[in-house]
Amino acid sequence: MRLSRLCVSTFIYLFIHLIRALLVYKNKEREKSSAEARCIETAFYEIMASRLCLLLLILCSLHVAQCGLRVYNVYARGIRPDPGNNNGDGYVRMSCGPASKTTNVVFNTPDPNWHEELHYSRASPGNYLELRVYDKDVIFDDLLGICATNIQKGTRKHYCNLPTGGYLYFTYTLS
């Protein structure tokens, strides 16, 4: 399982503060006798290490417990762009909440497959997921259709008829 950015940032923050606290503590302890200082220093290390690990586990588990959305396996069949252009240059703009992803353009095909994924770690059931299919043109890109759904927990396969012709297919997982 990958560590989230929050967990890594929290770890770095706590590690820096732990090092600072240890340096301050060591400077103060140099004035005491060496045997007493070593005993206190060992106890301090043990307490700080156990609290740091516990705090990291709590913070990371809270973040991991949040829902996560993954949109993948996005492809279209039979898309029809402009009447003068038999094959489209399609791409998809996926969005859910503040997360969005625009795929690469797949040139000159009515049946594009996009191999990009959208990930949104703060998604929850009922959030609005929208996929917009475009045909890339020189001046203005043409909107071929919008496919939208309110997401639910689990893995769902979804498809939509596009108003200009063809279908958009995608799969999402909300955990």
Side-chain angles (χ1 to χ4, degrees), residues 73-146:
N73 196 25
V74 181
Y75 63 97
R77 295 295 175 256
I79 59 172
R80 292 188 210 124
D82 306 329
N85 185 1
N86 293 335
N87 291 323
D89 300 326
Y91 68 93
V92 177
R93 185 169 296 140
M94 304 179 275
S95 62
C96 183
S100 67
K101 168 88 177 183
T102 301
T103 67
N104 290 320
V105 177
V106 177
F107 293 98
N108 202 29
T109 180
D111 303 325
N113 293 307
W114 296 281
H115 300 286
E116 289 100 332
E117 297 182 359
L118 170 69
H119 295 270
Y120 179 41
S121 64
R122 299 189 189 279
S124 59
N127 284 154
Y128 186 73
L129 172 64
E130 181 179 88
L131 284 80
R132 293 174 170 254
V133 183
Y134 291 92
D135 176 44
K136 183 78 174 160
D137 285 330
V138 177
I139 298 175
F140 295 107
D141 296 347
D142 299 321
L143 177 63
L144 302 180
I146 299 172

Side-chain angles (χ1 to χ4, degrees), residues 6 13-14 40 45 54 72 79-80 115 117 120 160 164:
L6 174 66
Y13 175 80
L14 291 174
I40 293 172
Y45 287 138
L54 180 62
Y72 57 101
I79 59 172
R80 292 188 210 124
H115 300 286
E117 297 182 359
Y120 179 41
C160 295
T164 58

Side-chain angles (χ1 to χ4, degrees), residues 5-175:
R5 288 182 188 161
L6 174 66
C7 290
V8 172
S9 299
T10 303
F11 177 77
I12 291 170
Y13 175 80
L14 291 174
F15 184 75
I16 290 171
H17 283 283
L18 175 63
I19 297 298
R20 282 184 185 166
L22 291 175
L23 290 174
V24 169
Y25 183 79
K26 275 192 159 193
N27 288 335
K28 288 182 181 178
E29 290 304 316
R30 284 185 185 161
E31 299 167 4
K32 294 185 178 182
S33 70
S34 63
E36 182 185 352
R38 275 182 282 172
C39 181
I40 293 172
E41 184 176 354
T42 303
F44 179 78
Y45 287 138
E46 289 174 3
I47 290 170
M48 287 305 290
S50 65
R51 287 184 180 170
L52 176 64
C53 291
L54 180 62
L55 183 60
L56 279 173
L57 284 173
I58 291 170
L59 288 173
C60 289
S61 66
L62 287 174
H63 185 69
V64 170
Q66 293 177 347
C67 294
L69 173 67
R70 176 180 170 231
V71 182
Y72 57 101
N73 196 25
V74 181
Y75 63 97
R77 295 295 175 256
I79 59 172
R80 292 188 210 124
D82 306 329
N85 185 1
N86 293 335
N87 291 323
D89 300 326
Y91 68 93
V92 177
R93 185 169 296 140
M94 304 179 275
S95 62
C96 183
S100 67
K101 168 88 177 183
T102 301
T103 67
N104 290 320
V105 177
V106 177
F107 293 98
N108 202 29
T109 180
D111 303 325
N113 293 307
W114 296 281
H115 300 286
E116 289 100 332
E117 297 182 359
L118 170 69
H119 295 270
Y120 179 41
S121 64
R122 299 189 189 279
S124 59
N127 284 154
Y128 186 73
L129 172 64
E130 181 179 88
L131 284 80
R132 293 174 170 254
V133 183
Y134 291 92
D135 176 44
K136 183 78 174 160
D137 285 330
V138 177
I139 298 175
F140 295 107
D141 296 347
D142 299 321
L143 177 63
L144 302 180
I146 299 172
C147 192
T149 186
N150 290 318
I151 58 176
Q152 304 170 19
K153 281 197 170 229
T155 297
R156 313 277 179 178
K157 292 185 177 186
H158 197 75
Y159 78 95
C160 295
N161 292 327
L162 301 174
T164 58
Y167 298 90
L168 175 68
Y169 301 87
F170 65 93
T171 305
Y172 73 84
T173 299
L174 179 62
S175 56

